């Protein structure tokens, strides 16, 4: 199922150059299943026209409190009654001040005051001095206290040429925040450490030994853990993926680098999910210089030594420091037999198995869950959905209700 399926969102735009980003945000959120009603203030219409949002949303854009096209002139009431959330993006300094004071002098502000239980999410967008201004900060603190969900702002180059805090989040960041908003916060207050991707074992400065892991499953799990409210550290081998939104990523190459990074972070983690496809061996006689073909054309002789087992190392930490450990097993045959044995060998309470030939590089997967009670097969689903289900399952193990 799409992450925003059946979600009805009111997108409110106020005056700011960041209005152009909201058009892209709306499109990407529609791709995830969301439906939009758009409300624009007069200020917003100075930057972008209602025609743009009418065409994108497929519905008439609302701009006027006194518009009599709705039968009873009550758009400010009806719209939020049917919505799952109101998202104000961009939220200008002035609009934030109006919201914080409960003013209701145009359609969008009136709609916000009349929203009842409909959640309100705002994405501030302004110059860095306007953001830093004590009045703005006071208004933001008031909105937080009133239960308004504030996303961003980000920092960086501003349209005015200055650099600092106040930029509206980018469209895909807004989208990630919206998806996360709707997820149950089953891991709030928990620190989750995850490994993902392949490792890469050097032969010389040019050549390495690696494997076909794409990192997609581990990255989807990291995103799902963030969405569930966790603080997430991702230790990643070399992959072609952007860091999941809201997640701290540390990039490593070899299994020994990954082991060091994990052992540093594990004592403060509540959960460790070992998704990485870690190389079992490293090249002991790796060369500092590029290996050259010699005259006799003999192939170089590589010597191997075993890599540390990262998961087993964490699982055997003293109990007071040890996080709840989850292992993975990608097998090409005899999944059930190998996975049960692997769970016991690694000393972990939960192991997630799948068939390597189905899972490698794919967007869908079928997970099988192994614990002391036995095993349980989940349906074929996208890695995003499987990650969400796994995070919910782990949260239940931590806090059985
Ligand atoms: N793992 C690890 N460190 C290693 C090897 C594996 O942390 N050096 C972790 C993986 O991240 C995974 C689990 O152990 O969670 C199982 O990995 P897998 O490669 O399937 O198992 P191996 O222990 O390497 O056993 P085998 O190669 O015989 O299947």
């Amino acid at each position: 199922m799409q992450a925003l399926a059946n979600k009805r969102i009111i997108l409110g735009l106020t005056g700011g150059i960041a209005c152009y980003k909201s058009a892209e945000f709306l499109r990407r959120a529609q791709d995830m299943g969301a439906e939009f009603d758009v409300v624009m203030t007069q200020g917003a219409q100075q930057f972008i026209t209602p025609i743009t949002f009418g065409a994108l949303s497929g519905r008439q854009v609302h701009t006027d409190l006194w518009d009599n096209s709705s039968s009873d002139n009550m758009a400010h009431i009806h719209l939020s009654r049917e919505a799952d959330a109101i998202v104000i993006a961009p939220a200008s300094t002035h609009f934030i001040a109006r919201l914080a004071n409960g003013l209701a002098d145009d359609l969008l502000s009136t709609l916000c005051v009349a929203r009842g239980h409909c959640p309100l999410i705002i994405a501030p967008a302004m110059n860095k001095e306007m953001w830093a201004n004590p009045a703005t900060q006071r208004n933001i603190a008031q909105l937080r206290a009133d239960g308004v969900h504030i996303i961003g702002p980000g920092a960086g180059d501003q349209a005015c040429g200055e650099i600092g805090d106040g930029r509206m989040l980018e469209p895909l960041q807004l989208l990630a925040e919206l998806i996360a908003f709707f997820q149950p916060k089953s891991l709030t207050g928990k620190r989750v450490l995850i490994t993902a991707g392949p490792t890469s074992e050097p032969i010389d400065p040019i050549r390495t030994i690696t494997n076909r892991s794409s990192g997609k499953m581990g990255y989807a799990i990291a995103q799902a853990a963030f969405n569930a409210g966790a603080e997430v550290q991702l230790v990643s081998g070399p992959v072609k993926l952007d860091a999941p939104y809201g997640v701290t990523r540390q990039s490593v190459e070899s299994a020994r680098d990954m082991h060091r990074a994990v052992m540093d972070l594990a004592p403060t983690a509540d959960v460790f999910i070992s998704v990485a496809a870690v190389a079992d061996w490293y090249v002991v006689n790796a060369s500092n210089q590029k290996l050259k073909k010699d005259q006799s054309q003999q192939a170089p002789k590589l010597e191997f030594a075993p890599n540390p087992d990262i998961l087993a190392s964490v699982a055997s930490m003293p109990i007071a420091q040890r996080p709840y450990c989850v292992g993975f097993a990608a097998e090409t045959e005899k999944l059930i037999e190998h996975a049960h044995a692997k769970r016991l060998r690694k000393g972990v309470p939960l192991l997630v198995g799948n068939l390597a030939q189905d899972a490698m590089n794919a967007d869908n997967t079928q997970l099988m869950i192994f614990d002391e009670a036995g095993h349980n097969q989940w349906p074929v689903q996208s890695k995003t959905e499987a990650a969400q289900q796994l995070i919910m399952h782990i949260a239940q193990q931590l806090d059985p209700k």
Side-chain angles (χ1 to χ4, degrees):
M1 194 163 93
Q2 291 167 305
L4 295 174
N6 306 321
K7 296 291 181 223
R8 290 195 68 158
I9 309 295
I10 296 175
L11 175 62
L13 292 106
T14 72
I17 186 63
C19 279
Y20 77 94
K21 295 186 190 175
S22 301
E24 176 71 6
F25 159 65
L26 181 145
R27 287 293 293 117
R28 298 287 75 85
Q30 282 175 327
D31 292 344
M32 294 289 155
E35 284 182 37
F36 281 90
D37 278 302
V38 179
V39 181
M40 297 175 72
T41 64
Q42 282 203 343
Q45 293 169 66
Q46 300 296 315
F47 290 90
I48 195 162
T49 70
I51 294 171
T52 304
F53 284 92
L56 293 176
S57 68
R59 297 191 187 173
Q60 187 204 332
V61 171
H62 305 272
T63 55
D64 186 1
L65 185 58
W66 311 114
D67 175 11
N68 58 9
S69 59
S70 93
S71 55
D72 55 4
N73 271 21
M74 292 282 181
H76 62 289
I77 308 290
H78 298 315
L79 281 172
S80 69
R81 296 299 178 271
E82 288 157 15
D84 294 291
I86 303 171
V87 179
I88 311 285
S92 67
T93 317
H94 186 62
F95 193 78
I96 287 169
R98 285 202 281 156
L99 263 186
N101 286 285
L103 299 187
D105 53 1
D106 67 0
L107 177 58
L108 187 58
S109 56
T110 309
L111 180 88
C112 289
V113 176
R115 74 184 183 280
H117 296 295
C118 182
L120 177 58
I121 303 170
I122 68 165
M126 65 196 73
N127 164 271
K128 64 174 185 168
E129 298 299 347
M130 295 169 83
W131 175 249
N133 186 286
T136 307
Q137 288 305 311
R138 218 166 38 236
N139 290 332
I140 288 288
Q142 183 60 55
L143 290 177
R144 276 193 218 284
D146 293 345
V148 175
H149 189 70
I150 293 154
I151 53 178
D157 291 342
Q158 303 205 307
C160 52
E162 296 184 0
I163 299 173
D165 289 343
R167 276 171 66 97
M168 188 169 86
L169 296 185
E170 297 303 317
L172 291 181
Q173 295 177 319
L174 291 176
L175 179 63
E177 287 279 4
L178 186 62
I179 291 171
F181 179 80
F182 287 116
Q183 297 304 314
K185 298 289 171 257
S186 53
L187 288 180
T188 298
K190 300 284 186 219
R191 300 178 72 145
V192 177
L193 173 62
I194 299 170
T195 62
T199 59
S200 169
E201 306 298 329
I203 297 172
D204 67 16
I206 315 273
R207 304 171 178 102
T208 70
I209 299 175
T210 185
N211 61 63
R212 295 184 202 274
S213 168
S214 65
K216 284 180 188 169
M217 192 69 231
Y219 275 54
I221 293 170
Q223 187 66 75
F226 169 79
N227 291 353
E231 185 186 322
V232 185
Q233 301 264 1
L234 176 63
V235 178
S236 174
V239 296
K240 297 191 183 75
L241 300 172
D242 292 332
Y245 180 73
V247 166
T248 308
R249 174 170 68 176
Q250 188 175 341
S251 296
V252 295
E253 296 277 325
S254 71
R256 285 168 298 157
D257 294 341
M258 186 175 275
H259 182 250
R260 267 190 295 276
V262 166
M263 296 317 283
D264 269 357
L265 296 165
T268 54
D270 299 295
V271 178
F272 174 51
I273 312 176
S274 182
V275 197
V278 184
D280 291 322
W281 308 91
Y282 73 95
V283 181
V284 182
N285 58 340
S287 169
N288 290 331
Q289 301 298 334
K290 183 183 175 196
L291 292 173
K292 306 295 286 179
K293 290 187 280 291
D294 65 17
Q295 293 306 322
S296 61
Q297 295 291 319
Q298 284 216 327
K301 290 204 167 32
L302 301 180
E303 289 168 32
F304 293 92
N307 271 322
D309 189 318
I310 304 168
L311 177 58
S313 309
V314 176
S316 60
M317 280 167 53
I319 195 152
Q321 292 187 336
R322 185 194 315 160
Y324 180 83
C325 289
V326 181
F328 262 73
E331 305 292 343
T332 54
E333 56 167 0
K334 299 182 188 155
L335 174 61
I336 295 177
E337 191 182 314
H338 286 318
H340 272 304
K342 203 167 271 182
R343 187 184 79 80
L344 295 175
R345 198 168 69 237
K346 304 269 176 179
V348 295
L350 189 68
L351 189 119
V352 182
N354 57 14
L355 284 171
Q357 53 273 40
D358 294 346
M360 285 273 180
N361 262 311
D363 290 326
N364 287 340
T365 188
Q366 181 164 34
L367 302 183
M368 202 179 257
I369 303 299
F370 298 82
D371 57 22
E372 61 176 8
H375 59 268
N376 185 13
Q377 184 151 46
W378 289 352
V380 178
Q381 52 192 337
S382 71
K383 286 186 175 172
T384 307
E385 289 167 320
Q388 221 166 294
Q389 188 174 0
L390 179 62
I391 287 297
M392 265 158 52
H393 185 78
I394 292 171
Q396 250 162 21
Q397 306 308 304
L398 296 180
D399 185 15
K401 291 238 170 73

